[in-house]
Amino acid sequence: MKIKDFTNAGLADNSVVAPSEPVAPVAMTTEKQNVTEEIEIQAENATEEVMVAPTNAIQSDTPTFDYADSKDLYKGLGKRPKRKYEKFEDIPAEVIESFKRKYGRIFSLTFQSDKFIVRTVPRDIYTQGMLNSTAELTQEDLAKEHVDSRNQRIYTRQEFFASQIVLWPEDAEWLLRENAGYAASITDEAILRSGFEIPTSEEL
Protein backbone atom coordinates (compact mmCIF):
# COMPACT_ATOMS: atom_id res chain seq x y z
CA MET A 1 0.00 0.00 0.00
CA LYS A 2 1.36 3.38 -0.96
CA ILE A 3 0.92 6.21 1.49
CA LYS A 4 1.27 9.73 0.20
CA ASP A 5 2.60 12.29 2.62
CA PHE A 6 0.76 15.59 2.33
CA THR A 7 2.69 17.30 5.13
CA ASN A 8 4.58 19.57 2.73
CA ALA A 9 2.36 19.14 -0.30
CA GLY A 10 3.04 21.73 -2.98
CA LEU A 11 6.41 22.81 -1.59
CA ALA A 12 9.79 22.11 -3.11
CA ASP A 13 12.40 20.30 -1.02
CA ASN A 14 13.97 22.50 1.66
CA SER A 15 11.68 25.41 0.74
CA VAL A 16 10.55 27.82 3.41
CA VAL A 17 7.44 29.94 3.29
CA ALA A 18 8.11 33.39 4.63
CA PRO A 19 5.54 36.14 5.27
CA SER A 20 5.46 38.83 2.60
CA GLU A 21 5.88 41.59 5.20
CA PRO A 22 7.10 41.46 8.79
CA VAL A 23 4.29 41.74 11.30
CA ALA A 24 4.90 44.44 13.91
CA PRO A 25 4.06 43.51 17.54
CA VAL A 26 0.88 45.12 18.85
CA ALA A 27 0.80 46.59 22.32
CA MET A 28 -1.91 45.00 24.49
CA THR A 29 -3.57 46.74 27.40
CA THR A 30 -4.09 44.94 30.71
CA GLU A 31 -7.85 44.80 30.13
CA LYS A 32 -7.50 43.25 26.67
CA GLN A 33 -4.93 40.78 27.99
CA ASN A 34 -7.29 39.63 30.77
CA VAL A 35 -10.13 39.16 28.28
CA THR A 36 -7.85 37.16 25.98
CA GLU A 37 -6.68 34.93 28.82
CA GLU A 38 -10.29 34.26 29.88
CA ILE A 39 -11.22 33.29 26.32
CA GLU A 40 -8.24 30.93 26.12
CA ILE A 41 -9.21 29.26 29.43
CA GLN A 42 -12.80 28.75 28.24
CA ALA A 43 -11.55 27.30 24.96
CA GLU A 44 -9.27 24.85 26.79
CA ASN A 45 -12.11 23.70 29.06
CA ALA A 46 -14.42 23.20 26.09
CA THR A 47 -11.73 21.19 24.27
CA GLU A 48 -11.26 18.91 27.30
CA GLU A 49 -15.03 18.23 27.48
CA VAL A 50 -15.19 17.41 23.77
CA MET A 51 -12.24 15.05 24.01
CA VAL A 52 -13.50 13.19 27.09
CA ALA A 53 -17.06 12.48 25.91
CA PRO A 54 -16.26 10.59 22.68
CA THR A 55 -13.50 8.62 24.39
CA ASN A 56 -15.94 7.22 26.92
CA ALA A 57 -18.63 6.68 24.28
CA ILE A 58 -16.56 4.49 21.96
CA GLN A 59 -15.07 2.18 24.56
CA SER A 60 -15.88 -1.43 23.73
CA ASP A 61 -15.19 -4.76 25.36
CA THR A 62 -15.66 -6.70 22.10
CA PRO A 63 -12.83 -9.26 21.90
CA THR A 64 -10.83 -9.81 18.75
CA PHE A 65 -11.76 -13.01 16.89
CA ASP A 66 -9.27 -15.85 16.90
CA TYR A 67 -9.92 -19.02 14.88
CA ALA A 68 -7.85 -21.06 17.30
CA ASP A 69 -10.10 -20.10 20.22
CA SER A 70 -13.40 -20.58 18.39
CA LYS A 71 -15.26 -23.76 19.34
CA ASP A 72 -18.42 -22.98 17.38
CA LEU A 73 -16.54 -22.51 14.09
CA TYR A 74 -15.17 -26.06 14.14
CA LYS A 75 -18.05 -27.67 16.02
CA GLY A 76 -18.43 -31.33 15.06
CA LEU A 77 -15.18 -31.57 13.09
CA GLY A 78 -12.94 -33.01 15.77
CA LYS A 79 -9.19 -32.69 15.46
CA ARG A 80 -7.85 -30.99 12.36
CA PRO A 81 -6.00 -33.55 10.21
CA LYS A 82 -2.40 -33.02 9.21
CA ARG A 83 -1.75 -32.76 5.49
CA LYS A 84 0.30 -35.51 3.92
CA TYR A 85 1.37 -33.02 1.24
CA GLU A 86 1.54 -29.47 2.56
CA LYS A 87 1.53 -27.79 -0.86
CA PHE A 88 -0.12 -28.69 -4.16
CA GLU A 89 3.28 -28.77 -5.84
CA ASP A 90 4.36 -31.51 -3.42
CA ILE A 91 1.70 -33.97 -4.60
CA PRO A 92 3.31 -36.74 -6.70
CA ALA A 93 2.00 -37.37 -10.21
CA GLU A 94 0.99 -40.92 -9.25
CA VAL A 95 -1.37 -39.53 -6.60
CA ILE A 96 -3.07 -37.34 -9.20
CA GLU A 97 -3.38 -40.35 -11.50
CA SER A 98 -4.89 -42.43 -8.70
CA PHE A 99 -7.52 -39.72 -8.18
CA LYS A 100 -8.35 -39.86 -11.89
CA ARG A 101 -8.71 -43.64 -11.89
CA LYS A 102 -10.99 -43.57 -8.87
CA TYR A 103 -13.10 -40.45 -9.55
CA GLY A 104 -12.82 -39.81 -13.28
CA ARG A 105 -12.58 -36.14 -14.18
CA ILE A 106 -10.82 -33.97 -11.60
CA PHE A 107 -9.60 -30.40 -11.65
CA SER A 108 -7.83 -27.88 -9.45
CA LEU A 109 -9.29 -24.69 -8.05
CA THR A 110 -6.96 -21.91 -6.96
CA PHE A 111 -7.89 -19.13 -4.57
CA GLN A 112 -5.59 -16.37 -3.39
CA SER A 113 -4.11 -18.38 -0.54
CA ASP A 114 -5.49 -21.92 -0.95
CA LYS A 115 -5.71 -24.57 -3.64
CA PHE A 116 -8.08 -27.54 -3.92
CA ILE A 117 -8.32 -30.70 -6.00
CA VAL A 118 -11.97 -31.30 -6.80
CA ARG A 119 -13.95 -33.99 -8.57
CA THR A 120 -17.10 -33.49 -10.61
CA VAL A 121 -20.47 -34.07 -8.93
CA PRO A 122 -21.87 -37.56 -9.65
CA ARG A 123 -25.62 -38.01 -9.91
CA ASP A 124 -26.00 -39.87 -6.61
CA ILE A 125 -24.28 -37.12 -4.60
CA TYR A 126 -26.26 -34.46 -6.47
CA THR A 127 -29.57 -36.20 -5.71
CA GLN A 128 -28.60 -36.72 -2.08
CA GLY A 129 -27.67 -33.07 -1.66
CA MET A 130 -30.86 -31.79 -3.28
CA LEU A 131 -33.11 -34.05 -1.17
CA ASN A 132 -31.31 -33.86 2.17
CA SER A 133 -31.17 -30.06 2.14
CA THR A 134 -34.94 -29.98 2.64
CA ALA A 135 -35.17 -32.79 5.22
CA GLU A 136 -35.07 -30.53 8.28
CA LEU A 137 -37.61 -28.03 6.92
CA THR A 138 -41.26 -28.33 7.93
CA GLN A 139 -44.01 -28.84 5.38
CA GLU A 140 -45.30 -25.39 6.29
CA ASP A 141 -41.95 -23.86 5.36
CA LEU A 142 -41.87 -25.73 2.08
CA ALA A 143 -45.45 -24.73 1.25
CA LYS A 144 -44.94 -21.05 2.01
CA GLU A 145 -41.50 -20.97 0.34
CA HIS A 146 -40.15 -18.46 2.82
CA VAL A 147 -37.10 -16.57 1.62
CA ASP A 148 -35.22 -17.70 4.73
CA SER A 149 -36.06 -21.32 3.95
CA ARG A 150 -34.86 -21.06 0.37
CA ASN A 151 -31.63 -19.36 1.44
CA GLN A 152 -31.02 -22.00 4.11
CA ARG A 153 -31.37 -24.76 1.53
CA ILE A 154 -28.90 -23.04 -0.78
CA TYR A 155 -26.29 -22.70 1.95
CA THR A 156 -26.81 -26.28 3.11
CA ARG A 157 -26.38 -27.63 -0.41
CA GLN A 158 -23.22 -25.64 -1.02
CA GLU A 159 -21.61 -26.94 2.15
CA PHE A 160 -22.70 -30.52 1.47
CA PHE A 161 -21.47 -30.63 -2.12
CA ALA A 162 -18.14 -28.99 -1.30
CA SER A 163 -17.51 -31.42 1.55
CA GLN A 164 -18.20 -34.39 -0.77
CA ILE A 165 -16.18 -33.44 -3.84
CA VAL A 166 -12.94 -31.94 -2.51
CA LEU A 167 -10.18 -34.58 -2.72
CA TRP A 168 -7.31 -32.47 -1.38
CA PRO A 169 -6.30 -30.96 1.04
CA GLU A 170 -7.29 -33.20 3.92
CA ASP A 171 -8.33 -30.21 6.06
CA ALA A 172 -10.70 -28.87 3.41
CA GLU A 173 -13.70 -28.80 5.77
CA TRP A 174 -11.79 -26.52 8.14
CA LEU A 175 -10.95 -24.19 5.24
CA LEU A 176 -14.60 -24.16 4.14
CA ARG A 177 -15.62 -22.88 7.56
CA GLU A 178 -12.83 -20.33 7.78
CA ASN A 179 -13.61 -18.78 4.37
CA ALA A 180 -17.25 -17.95 3.72
CA GLY A 181 -17.08 -18.03 -0.08
CA TYR A 182 -15.15 -21.26 -0.63
CA ALA A 183 -18.14 -23.62 -0.42
CA ALA A 184 -20.17 -21.56 -2.89
CA SER A 185 -17.32 -21.08 -5.36
CA ILE A 186 -16.25 -24.73 -5.29
CA THR A 187 -19.82 -25.97 -5.68
CA ASP A 188 -20.65 -23.57 -8.52
CA GLU A 189 -17.56 -24.54 -10.51
CA ALA A 190 -18.04 -28.27 -9.93
CA ILE A 191 -21.72 -28.14 -10.89
CA LEU A 192 -20.89 -26.41 -14.17
CA ARG A 193 -18.29 -29.08 -14.92
CA SER A 194 -20.80 -31.81 -14.14
CA GLY A 195 -23.12 -31.32 -17.09
CA PHE A 196 -25.03 -28.25 -15.93
CA GLU A 197 -23.46 -25.85 -18.38
CA ILE A 198 -25.70 -24.69 -21.21
CA PRO A 199 -25.12 -27.12 -24.10
CA THR A 200 -24.99 -26.08 -27.70
CA SER A 201 -27.84 -27.43 -29.81
CA GLU A 202 -28.18 -27.95 -33.52
CA GLU A 203 -31.30 -28.85 -35.44
CA LEU A 204 -30.89 -32.02 -37.52
Side-chain angles (χ1 to χ4, degrees), residues 17 37 42 57 76 159 204:
V17 177
E37 291 176 352
Q42 292 178 359
E159 293 166 2
L204 301 176

Side-chain angles (χ1 to χ4, degrees), residues 109-140:
L109 279 178
T110 304
F111 294 87
Q112 185 172 3
S113 58
D114 295 299
K115 194 162 187 172
F116 297 85
I117 297 178
V118 182
R119 63 179 295 192
T120 54
V121 183
R123 186 65 185 180
D124 60 339
I125 290 180
Y126 177 76
T127 303
Q128 183 181 354
M130 298 300 287
L131 294 177
N132 288 354
S133 61
T134 64
E136 297 181 359
L137 299 177
T138 65
Q139 290 300 320
E140 183 181 358

Side-chain angles (χ1 to χ4, degrees), residues 8-149:
N8 294 314
L11 301 180
D13 292 340
N14 301 323
S15 61
V16 177
V17 177
S20 55
E21 295 181 1
V23 179
V26 179
M28 183 178 294
T29 64
T30 303
E31 182 179 354
K32 288 183 178 179
Q33 185 174 0
N34 291 338
V35 172
T36 302
E37 291 176 352
E38 180 65 24
I39 292 174
E40 290 177 352
I41 293 173
Q42 292 178 359
E44 289 178 359
N45 292 338
T47 302
E48 290 178 359
E49 293 177 359
V50 171
M51 291 300 294
V52 169
T55 303
N56 293 335
I58 62 174
Q59 286 181 351
S60 174
D61 295 329
T62 303
T64 56
F65 185 79
D66 186 355
Y67 284 136
D69 295 333
S70 175
K71 295 180 180 179
D72 291 338
L73 185 68
Y74 304 114
K75 187 176 181 180
L77 291 183
K79 186 177 180 180
R80 189 167 190 155
K82 186 177 181 180
R83 296 186 185 185
K84 185 175 182 180
Y85 307 105
E86 187 62 31
K87 298 180 180 179
F88 176 80
E89 294 75 16
D90 299 333
I91 302 176
E94 54 266 27
V95 173
I96 301 296
E97 290 302 317
S98 68
F99 284 156
K100 291 181 179 179
R101 288 193 299 270
K102 185 174 182 178
Y103 300 107
R105 295 168 56 212
I106 65 172
F107 53 97
S108 65
L109 279 178
T110 304
F111 294 87
Q112 185 172 3
S113 58
D114 295 299
K115 194 162 187 172
F116 297 85
I117 297 178
V118 182
R119 63 179 295 192
T120 54
V121 183
R123 186 65 185 180
D124 60 339
I125 290 180
Y126 177 76
T127 303
Q128 183 181 354
M130 298 300 287
L131 294 177
N132 288 354
S133 61
T134 64
E136 297 181 359
L137 299 177
T138 65
Q139 290 300 320
E140 183 181 358
D141 288 335
L142 295 175
K144 291 182 178 180
E145 283 292 315
H146 293 313
V147 173
D148 288 345
S149 298

